[in-house]
């Protein structure tokens, strides 16, 4: 039942992206939209925490200029409902706790798929097909990385899990479901986990896309949607105006 619910939520998320436009804004306009122009006093470490919502926040046309989301409360409630089935504060607290407990957890089938990919072997499973399709798309079609890079530090669901939870926290604090102090504590916890797992924003962003692909294969996300997903990587790391430039560094604890 849990797997069916997760699959249904993924489909809702896909439809959400689809109805917002199949091609989206240009990289340049998207980069300008998330350029760091702080709307409140924010330390480099606080910005690091906000940026953990990364690709997901960019997909939703949000920014990182404050701890809270920049979206309207009405839209936030819609995202909470459509993506996490959250309609109340109690729902929100339950989902956050559940996500914390399962952060980065791989199923046995996902573990086998990753092991096979690293060994350059093939296994007949949906999980392996999703992983292979995702990596090939990112390297060959989107050209945001190389296959060899995707045989090292990016094969997990941890970054995607962290991104979802970080963005959920930012949305939740905006509509009063989570106190600001608790939100800051949660983002710091996620920052510690991210730093223990990844070395830089590039690794983190690529890993998030791999995790998204593993949890929803290209049979679910068609190439138009994946063009948007892949573009968020380039937007987040735009060399001219990346918000990551103002954040604390990955090696800081």
């Amino acid at each position: 039942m849990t797997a069916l619910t997760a699959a249904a939520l993924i489909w809702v998320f896909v439809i959400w992206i689809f109805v917002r436009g199949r091609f989206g804004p240009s990289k340049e306009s998207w980069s300008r939209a998330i350029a760091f122009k702080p709307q409140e006093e924010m330390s480099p470490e606080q910005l690091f925490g906000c940026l953990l919502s990364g690709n997901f926040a960019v997909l939703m046309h949000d920014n990182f200029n404050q701890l809270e989301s920049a979206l309207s409360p009405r839209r936030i409630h819609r995202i909470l409902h459509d993506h996490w089935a959250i309609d109340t504060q109690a729902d929100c607290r339950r989902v956050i706790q559940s996500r914390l407990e399962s952060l980065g957890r791989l199923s046995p089938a996902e573990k086998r798929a990753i092991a096979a990919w690293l060994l350059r072997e093939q296994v007949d499973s949906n999980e392996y097909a999703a992983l292979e399709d995702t990596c090939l798309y990112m390297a060959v079609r989107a050209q945001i990385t190389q296959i060899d890079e995707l045989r090292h530090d990016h094969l997990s669901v941890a970054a995607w899990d962290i991104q979802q939870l970080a963005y959920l926290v930012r949305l939740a604090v905006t509509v009063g479901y989570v106190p600001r102090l608790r939100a800051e504590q949660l983002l710091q916890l996620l920052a510690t986990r991210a730093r223990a797992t990844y070395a830089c924003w590039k690794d983190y962003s690529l890993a998030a896309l791999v995790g998204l692909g593993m949890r929803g294969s290209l049979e679910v996300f068609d190439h138009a949607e994946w063009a948007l997903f892949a573009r968020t990587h380039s937007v987040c790391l735009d060399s001219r105006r990346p918000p990551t430039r103002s954040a604390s560094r990955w090696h800081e604890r």
Side-chain angles (χ1 to χ4, degrees), residues 74-89:
R74 180 177 179 180
R75 214 176 134 210
I76 289 172
H77 282 295
R78 182 180 172 190
I79 296 171
L80 291 173
H81 173 82
D82 288 351
H83 193 67
W84 292 286
I86 290 173
D87 294 306
T88 67
Q89 185 179 57

Side-chain angles (χ1 to χ4, degrees), residues 48-188:
F48 188 100
C50 290
L51 285 167
L52 290 174
S53 57
N55 308 71
F56 198 171
V58 172
L59 277 172
M60 294 296 103
H61 298 276
D62 213 331
N63 62 42
F64 310 98
N65 290 322
Q66 60 287 312
L67 173 64
E68 293 86 354
S69 165
L71 304 182
S72 69
R74 180 177 179 180
R75 214 176 134 210
I76 289 172
H77 282 295
R78 182 180 172 190
I79 296 171
L80 291 173
H81 173 82
D82 288 351
H83 193 67
W84 292 286
I86 290 173
D87 294 306
T88 67
Q89 185 179 57
D91 289 341
C92 187
R93 291 178 176 176
R94 172 181 51 78
V95 171
I96 288 175
Q97 185 59 38
S98 175
R99 294 273 174 159
L100 279 173
E101 292 172 357
S102 63
L103 200 67
R105 186 180 299 163
L106 289 163
S107 70
E110 287 171 335
K111 290 179 181 179
R112 286 193 294 271
I114 289 174
W117 173 261
L118 292 175
L119 292 172
R120 291 174 169 79
E121 298 176 352
Q122 287 190 329
V123 294
D124 184 13
S125 71
N126 292 334
E127 290 77 13
Y128 181 84
L131 174 59
E132 182 179 55
D133 287 350
T134 299
C135 291
L136 290 176
Y137 185 90
M138 291 168 63
V140 178
R141 292 183 63 91
Q143 296 183 346
I144 58 175
T145 186
Q146 297 179 352
I147 288 293
D148 285 346
E149 279 192 291
L150 296 174
R151 294 193 187 275
H152 298 292
D153 300 326
H154 311 299
L155 301 184
S156 74
V157 296
W160 178 232
D161 285 355
I162 291 169
Q163 283 210 8
Q164 291 188 83
L165 187 48
Y167 196 44
L168 170 54
V169 167
R170 293 185 63 208
L171 296 174
V173 74
T174 310
V175 295
Y177 284 172
V178 173
R180 185 181 178 94
L181 179 59
R182 177 56 175 161
E184 291 175 343
Q185 292 171 341
L186 286 167
L187 291 177
Q188 185 55 55

